[in-house]
Short mmCIF file of all heavy atoms in Angstrom, two decimals:
data_model
loop_
_atom_site.label_atom_id
_atom_site.label_comp_id
_atom_site.label_asym_id
_atom_site.label_seq_id
_atom_site.Cartn_x
_atom_site.Cartn_y
_atom_site.Cartn_z
N GLY A 354 -27.03 20.00 -15.95
CA GLY A 354 -28.25 19.93 -15.17
C GLY A 354 -28.71 21.27 -14.73
O GLY A 354 -29.91 21.59 -14.78
N GLU A 355 -27.75 22.13 -14.29
CA GLU A 355 -28.08 23.47 -13.87
C GLU A 355 -28.68 24.25 -15.00
O GLU A 355 -29.71 24.94 -14.85
CB GLU A 355 -26.83 24.22 -13.37
CG GLU A 355 -26.11 23.56 -12.17
CD GLU A 355 -26.79 23.86 -10.85
OE1 GLU A 355 -27.59 24.87 -10.77
OE2 GLU A 355 -26.59 23.11 -9.90
N ALA A 356 -28.08 24.14 -16.20
CA ALA A 356 -28.57 24.86 -17.36
C ALA A 356 -29.98 24.37 -17.72
O ALA A 356 -30.86 25.21 -18.07
CB ALA A 356 -27.61 24.67 -18.55
N PHE A 357 -30.21 23.07 -17.61
CA PHE A 357 -31.43 22.45 -17.96
C PHE A 357 -32.54 22.92 -17.01
O PHE A 357 -33.68 23.18 -17.42
CB PHE A 357 -31.32 20.93 -17.87
CG PHE A 357 -32.52 20.17 -18.32
CD1 PHE A 357 -32.93 20.25 -19.64
CD2 PHE A 357 -33.22 19.39 -17.46
CE1 PHE A 357 -34.05 19.51 -20.11
CE2 PHE A 357 -34.39 18.68 -17.86
CZ PHE A 357 -34.76 18.74 -19.16
N LYS A 358 -32.19 23.06 -15.78
CA LYS A 358 -33.11 23.42 -14.64
C LYS A 358 -33.68 24.82 -14.92
O LYS A 358 -34.86 25.09 -14.64
CB LYS A 358 -32.32 23.43 -13.32
CG LYS A 358 -33.17 23.38 -12.10
CD LYS A 358 -32.39 23.02 -10.82
CE LYS A 358 -31.33 24.06 -10.57
NZ LYS A 358 -30.54 23.72 -9.41
N LYS A 359 -32.89 25.75 -15.39
CA LYS A 359 -33.23 27.10 -15.63
C LYS A 359 -34.41 27.18 -16.62
O LYS A 359 -35.28 28.05 -16.48
CB LYS A 359 -32.11 27.95 -16.08
CG LYS A 359 -31.11 28.26 -14.97
CD LYS A 359 -29.99 29.20 -15.42
CE LYS A 359 -29.00 29.38 -14.38
NZ LYS A 359 -27.70 28.79 -14.65
N LYS A 360 -34.38 26.29 -17.60
CA LYS A 360 -35.45 26.30 -18.63
C LYS A 360 -36.79 25.66 -18.14
O LYS A 360 -37.83 25.96 -18.61
CB LYS A 360 -34.97 25.52 -19.89
CG LYS A 360 -33.82 26.18 -20.59
CD LYS A 360 -33.37 25.38 -21.76
CE LYS A 360 -32.01 25.77 -22.18
NZ LYS A 360 -31.34 24.74 -22.95
N LYS A 361 -36.67 24.75 -17.19
CA LYS A 361 -37.85 23.95 -16.81
C LYS A 361 -38.72 24.70 -15.80
O LYS A 361 -38.26 25.57 -15.04
CB LYS A 361 -37.36 22.66 -16.05
CG LYS A 361 -36.88 21.63 -17.05
CD LYS A 361 -37.11 20.24 -16.52
CE LYS A 361 -37.51 19.34 -17.65
NZ LYS A 361 -38.22 18.17 -17.21
N PRO A 362 -40.02 24.37 -15.82
CA PRO A 362 -40.96 25.03 -14.88
C PRO A 362 -40.67 24.61 -13.39
O PRO A 362 -39.93 23.67 -13.19
CB PRO A 362 -42.29 24.55 -15.37
CG PRO A 362 -42.06 23.43 -16.29
CD PRO A 362 -40.69 23.54 -16.77
N ALA A 363 -41.28 25.34 -12.46
CA ALA A 363 -40.98 25.18 -11.06
C ALA A 363 -41.23 23.79 -10.51
O ALA A 363 -40.51 23.28 -9.68
CB ALA A 363 -41.76 26.19 -10.25
N ARG A 364 -42.26 23.09 -11.01
CA ARG A 364 -42.64 21.77 -10.44
C ARG A 364 -41.48 20.74 -10.63
O ARG A 364 -41.39 19.81 -9.87
CB ARG A 364 -43.93 21.28 -11.00
CG ARG A 364 -43.96 21.09 -12.50
CD ARG A 364 -45.33 20.70 -13.05
NE ARG A 364 -45.45 20.98 -14.42
CZ ARG A 364 -45.01 20.19 -15.40
NH1 ARG A 364 -44.52 19.08 -15.08
NH2 ARG A 364 -45.21 20.56 -16.60
N ASP A 365 -40.68 20.92 -11.69
CA ASP A 365 -39.63 19.95 -11.96
C ASP A 365 -38.37 20.27 -11.08
O ASP A 365 -37.39 19.52 -11.10
CB ASP A 365 -39.22 19.92 -13.40
CG ASP A 365 -40.36 19.25 -14.23
OD1 ASP A 365 -41.11 18.52 -13.65
OD2 ASP A 365 -40.39 19.53 -15.45
N LYS A 366 -38.38 21.52 -10.56
CA LYS A 366 -37.15 21.96 -9.85
C LYS A 366 -36.76 21.06 -8.68
O LYS A 366 -35.59 20.77 -8.46
CB LYS A 366 -37.40 23.36 -9.26
CG LYS A 366 -36.80 24.44 -10.21
CD LYS A 366 -36.77 25.78 -9.52
CE LYS A 366 -36.19 26.79 -10.49
NZ LYS A 366 -36.67 28.16 -10.21
N VAL A 367 -37.73 20.55 -7.98
CA VAL A 367 -37.45 19.69 -6.75
C VAL A 367 -36.68 18.49 -7.21
O VAL A 367 -35.64 18.16 -6.63
CB VAL A 367 -38.77 19.32 -6.01
CG1 VAL A 367 -38.47 18.39 -4.83
CG2 VAL A 367 -39.47 20.58 -5.50
N SER A 368 -37.25 17.73 -8.16
CA SER A 368 -36.52 16.49 -8.59
C SER A 368 -35.14 16.82 -9.12
O SER A 368 -34.22 16.05 -8.96
CB SER A 368 -37.38 15.69 -9.54
OG SER A 368 -37.49 16.40 -10.78
N GLN A 369 -35.01 17.99 -9.83
CA GLN A 369 -33.77 18.38 -10.42
C GLN A 369 -32.77 18.66 -9.23
O GLN A 369 -31.61 18.25 -9.30
CB GLN A 369 -33.93 19.64 -11.26
CG GLN A 369 -32.81 19.82 -12.27
CD GLN A 369 -32.59 18.67 -13.21
OE1 GLN A 369 -33.54 18.10 -13.73
NE2 GLN A 369 -31.36 18.29 -13.40
N ASN A 370 -33.27 19.35 -8.22
CA ASN A 370 -32.39 19.62 -7.07
C ASN A 370 -31.91 18.35 -6.41
O ASN A 370 -30.77 18.20 -5.99
CB ASN A 370 -33.14 20.45 -6.00
CG ASN A 370 -33.19 21.88 -6.38
OD1 ASN A 370 -32.41 22.35 -7.21
ND2 ASN A 370 -34.01 22.72 -5.79
N ASP A 371 -32.85 17.36 -6.28
CA ASP A 371 -32.50 16.06 -5.78
C ASP A 371 -31.34 15.44 -6.52
O ASP A 371 -30.38 14.98 -5.98
CB ASP A 371 -33.67 15.09 -5.85
CG ASP A 371 -34.52 15.14 -4.59
OD1 ASP A 371 -34.16 15.98 -3.68
OD2 ASP A 371 -35.57 14.43 -4.43
N LYS A 372 -31.53 15.49 -7.89
CA LYS A 372 -30.49 14.88 -8.77
C LYS A 372 -29.19 15.59 -8.51
O LYS A 372 -28.09 14.95 -8.41
CB LYS A 372 -30.85 14.95 -10.20
CG LYS A 372 -31.89 13.93 -10.61
CD LYS A 372 -32.21 14.08 -12.14
CE LYS A 372 -33.44 13.21 -12.47
NZ LYS A 372 -33.95 13.56 -13.83
N THR A 373 -29.21 16.91 -8.46
CA THR A 373 -28.00 17.70 -8.23
C THR A 373 -27.39 17.34 -6.95
O THR A 373 -26.13 17.11 -6.87
CB THR A 373 -28.31 19.21 -8.32
OG1 THR A 373 -29.00 19.50 -9.56
CG2 THR A 373 -27.05 20.01 -8.28
N LEU A 374 -28.15 17.23 -5.90
CA LEU A 374 -27.61 16.88 -4.57
C LEU A 374 -26.92 15.55 -4.59
O LEU A 374 -25.84 15.33 -4.06
CB LEU A 374 -28.75 16.90 -3.54
CG LEU A 374 -28.99 18.21 -2.77
CD1 LEU A 374 -30.20 18.10 -1.91
CD2 LEU A 374 -27.74 18.65 -2.01
N LYS A 375 -27.66 14.59 -5.21
CA LYS A 375 -27.11 13.21 -5.31
C LYS A 375 -25.72 13.21 -6.04
O LYS A 375 -24.75 12.59 -5.65
CB LYS A 375 -28.05 12.27 -6.02
CG LYS A 375 -29.12 11.73 -5.12
CD LYS A 375 -30.06 10.81 -5.83
CE LYS A 375 -31.31 10.46 -4.96
NZ LYS A 375 -32.44 10.00 -5.73
N LEU A 376 -25.69 13.99 -7.10
CA LEU A 376 -24.49 14.09 -7.87
C LEU A 376 -23.37 14.72 -7.07
O LEU A 376 -22.23 14.27 -7.07
CB LEU A 376 -24.73 14.91 -9.19
CG LEU A 376 -25.28 14.14 -10.38
CD1 LEU A 376 -25.58 15.09 -11.53
CD2 LEU A 376 -24.39 12.98 -10.85
N GLN A 377 -23.72 15.82 -6.37
CA GLN A 377 -22.72 16.49 -5.54
C GLN A 377 -22.20 15.59 -4.46
O GLN A 377 -21.01 15.55 -4.18
CB GLN A 377 -23.35 17.77 -4.95
CG GLN A 377 -23.41 18.87 -5.94
CD GLN A 377 -24.19 20.06 -5.46
OE1 GLN A 377 -24.97 19.97 -4.56
NE2 GLN A 377 -23.98 21.21 -6.14
N ASN A 378 -23.11 14.79 -3.83
CA ASN A 378 -22.69 13.81 -2.76
C ASN A 378 -21.74 12.76 -3.43
O ASN A 378 -20.73 12.40 -2.83
CB ASN A 378 -23.90 13.07 -2.17
CG ASN A 378 -24.67 14.04 -1.27
OD1 ASN A 378 -24.13 15.09 -0.85
ND2 ASN A 378 -25.93 13.71 -1.05
N LYS A 379 -22.13 12.27 -4.58
CA LYS A 379 -21.32 11.28 -5.30
C LYS A 379 -19.91 11.88 -5.52
O LYS A 379 -18.87 11.20 -5.37
CB LYS A 379 -21.95 10.87 -6.54
CG LYS A 379 -21.32 9.58 -7.20
CD LYS A 379 -22.09 9.06 -8.34
CE LYS A 379 -21.45 7.74 -8.83
NZ LYS A 379 -22.00 7.29 -10.08
N MET A 380 -19.91 13.13 -6.00
CA MET A 380 -18.66 13.78 -6.23
C MET A 380 -17.80 13.90 -4.97
O MET A 380 -16.57 13.63 -5.03
CB MET A 380 -18.86 15.19 -6.76
CG MET A 380 -18.77 15.23 -8.25
SD MET A 380 -18.87 16.99 -8.85
CE MET A 380 -17.32 17.61 -8.23
N ARG A 381 -18.44 14.26 -3.84
CA ARG A 381 -17.68 14.37 -2.60
C ARG A 381 -17.10 13.04 -2.17
O ARG A 381 -15.95 12.90 -1.81
CB ARG A 381 -18.67 14.91 -1.49
CG ARG A 381 -18.43 16.35 -1.13
CD ARG A 381 -19.05 16.76 0.13
NE ARG A 381 -20.54 16.58 0.09
CZ ARG A 381 -21.39 17.44 -0.45
NH1 ARG A 381 -20.97 18.54 -1.05
NH2 ARG A 381 -22.68 17.25 -0.38
N ASP A 382 -17.95 11.94 -2.38
CA ASP A 382 -17.42 10.58 -2.07
C ASP A 382 -16.23 10.28 -2.95
O ASP A 382 -15.20 9.72 -2.47
CB ASP A 382 -18.53 9.53 -2.38
CG ASP A 382 -19.70 9.63 -1.42
OD1 ASP A 382 -19.50 10.33 -0.34
OD2 ASP A 382 -20.77 8.99 -1.64
N ILE A 383 -16.31 10.57 -4.23
CA ILE A 383 -15.17 10.31 -5.11
C ILE A 383 -13.94 11.09 -4.72
O ILE A 383 -12.84 10.54 -4.69
CB ILE A 383 -15.57 10.59 -6.59
CG1 ILE A 383 -16.54 9.48 -7.08
CG2 ILE A 383 -14.32 10.58 -7.51
CD1 ILE A 383 -17.14 9.78 -8.49
N GLU A 384 -14.17 12.37 -4.35
CA GLU A 384 -13.00 13.20 -3.91
C GLU A 384 -12.41 12.58 -2.69
O GLU A 384 -11.18 12.60 -2.51
CB GLU A 384 -13.45 14.66 -3.72
CG GLU A 384 -13.58 15.43 -5.02
CD GLU A 384 -14.20 16.73 -4.92
OE1 GLU A 384 -14.81 17.06 -3.83
OE2 GLU A 384 -14.19 17.49 -5.90
N THR A 385 -13.22 12.08 -1.73
CA THR A 385 -12.71 11.45 -0.55
C THR A 385 -11.90 10.23 -0.91
O THR A 385 -10.76 10.04 -0.39
CB THR A 385 -13.90 11.06 0.37
OG1 THR A 385 -14.69 12.21 0.65
CG2 THR A 385 -13.36 10.48 1.72
N GLU A 386 -12.41 9.42 -1.78
CA GLU A 386 -11.68 8.26 -2.33
C GLU A 386 -10.38 8.62 -2.89
O GLU A 386 -9.34 8.04 -2.58
CB GLU A 386 -12.49 7.60 -3.47
CG GLU A 386 -13.46 6.45 -3.00
CD GLU A 386 -12.87 5.44 -2.12
OE1 GLU A 386 -11.91 4.74 -2.50
OE2 GLU A 386 -13.35 5.38 -0.94
N MET A 387 -10.43 9.71 -3.71
CA MET A 387 -9.18 10.19 -4.33
C MET A 387 -8.16 10.59 -3.27
O MET A 387 -6.95 10.31 -3.46
CB MET A 387 -9.44 11.37 -5.26
CG MET A 387 -9.81 10.94 -6.63
SD MET A 387 -10.12 12.32 -7.73
CE MET A 387 -8.54 13.12 -7.79
N GLN A 388 -8.63 11.28 -2.28
CA GLN A 388 -7.72 11.74 -1.18
C GLN A 388 -7.02 10.53 -0.57
O GLN A 388 -5.84 10.56 -0.27
CB GLN A 388 -8.53 12.54 -0.14
CG GLN A 388 -7.62 13.38 0.74
CD GLN A 388 -6.60 14.21 0.04
OE1 GLN A 388 -6.92 15.05 -0.84
NE2 GLN A 388 -5.33 14.04 0.27
N LYS A 389 -7.85 9.45 -0.31
CA LYS A 389 -7.30 8.25 0.28
C LYS A 389 -6.23 7.66 -0.59
O LYS A 389 -5.18 7.23 -0.15
CB LYS A 389 -8.41 7.20 0.47
CG LYS A 389 -9.27 7.51 1.68
CD LYS A 389 -10.33 6.35 1.86
CE LYS A 389 -11.47 6.78 2.79
NZ LYS A 389 -12.62 5.88 2.68
N VAL A 390 -6.57 7.56 -1.94
CA VAL A 390 -5.57 7.00 -2.85
C VAL A 390 -4.29 7.86 -2.88
O VAL A 390 -3.19 7.33 -2.86
CB VAL A 390 -6.22 6.89 -4.30
CG1 VAL A 390 -5.15 6.50 -5.31
CG2 VAL A 390 -7.34 5.86 -4.29
N GLU A 391 -4.48 9.18 -2.86
CA GLU A 391 -3.34 10.10 -2.91
C GLU A 391 -2.47 9.94 -1.65
O GLU A 391 -1.28 9.87 -1.68
CB GLU A 391 -3.80 11.57 -3.01
CG GLU A 391 -3.97 11.99 -4.42
CD GLU A 391 -4.55 13.42 -4.53
OE1 GLU A 391 -4.85 14.02 -3.47
OE2 GLU A 391 -4.79 13.89 -5.65
N ASN A 392 -3.13 9.71 -0.46
CA ASN A 392 -2.44 9.51 0.78
C ASN A 392 -1.61 8.20 0.72
O ASN A 392 -0.49 8.12 1.11
CB ASN A 392 -3.40 9.45 1.97
CG ASN A 392 -4.00 10.80 2.22
OD1 ASN A 392 -3.54 11.81 1.73
ND2 ASN A 392 -5.05 10.85 2.97
N LYS A 393 -2.28 7.15 0.16
CA LYS A 393 -1.65 5.82 0.02
C LYS A 393 -0.44 5.90 -0.90
O LYS A 393 0.63 5.36 -0.63
CB LYS A 393 -2.59 4.79 -0.55
CG LYS A 393 -3.34 4.01 0.51
CD LYS A 393 -4.06 2.79 -0.12
CE LYS A 393 -5.07 2.22 0.79
NZ LYS A 393 -6.02 1.32 0.15
N LEU A 394 -0.62 6.70 -1.98
CA LEU A 394 0.42 6.91 -2.93
C LEU A 394 1.65 7.60 -2.26
O LEU A 394 2.75 7.15 -2.45
CB LEU A 394 -0.12 7.81 -4.06
CG LEU A 394 0.56 7.77 -5.45
CD1 LEU A 394 0.63 6.31 -5.93
CD2 LEU A 394 -0.14 8.63 -6.40
N ALA A 395 1.33 8.61 -1.43
CA ALA A 395 2.44 9.33 -0.74
C ALA A 395 3.13 8.41 0.21
O ALA A 395 4.37 8.40 0.30
CB ALA A 395 1.83 10.55 -0.02
N GLU A 396 2.35 7.52 0.89
CA GLU A 396 2.97 6.53 1.77
C GLU A 396 3.92 5.60 1.00
O GLU A 396 5.00 5.34 1.46
CB GLU A 396 1.90 5.66 2.43
CG GLU A 396 1.34 6.23 3.74
CD GLU A 396 0.16 5.36 4.25
OE1 GLU A 396 0.21 4.09 4.15
OE2 GLU A 396 -0.81 5.96 4.73
#
Side-chain angles (χ1 to χ4, degrees):
E355 298 284 339
F357 186 67
K358 195 166 63 180
K359 287 186 183 110
K360 293 178 199 159
K361 285 210 141 200
R364 62 186 157 83
D365 289 339
K366 263 192 182 153
V367 176
S368 67
Q369 199 58 44
N370 280 346
D371 269 1
K372 282 181 191 166
T373 305
L374 271 175
K375 278 180 188 160
L376 280 176
Q377 282 170 341
N378 289 339
K379 194 172 183 189
M380 262 186 68
R381 258 194 299 278
D382 291 347
I383 288 174
E384 279 168 352
T385 305
E386 270 311 297
M387 272 181 66
Q388 195 52 56
K389 283 182 194 164
V390 171
E391 274 173 0
N392 293 344
K393 269 191 192 165
L394 203 55
E396 271 175 38

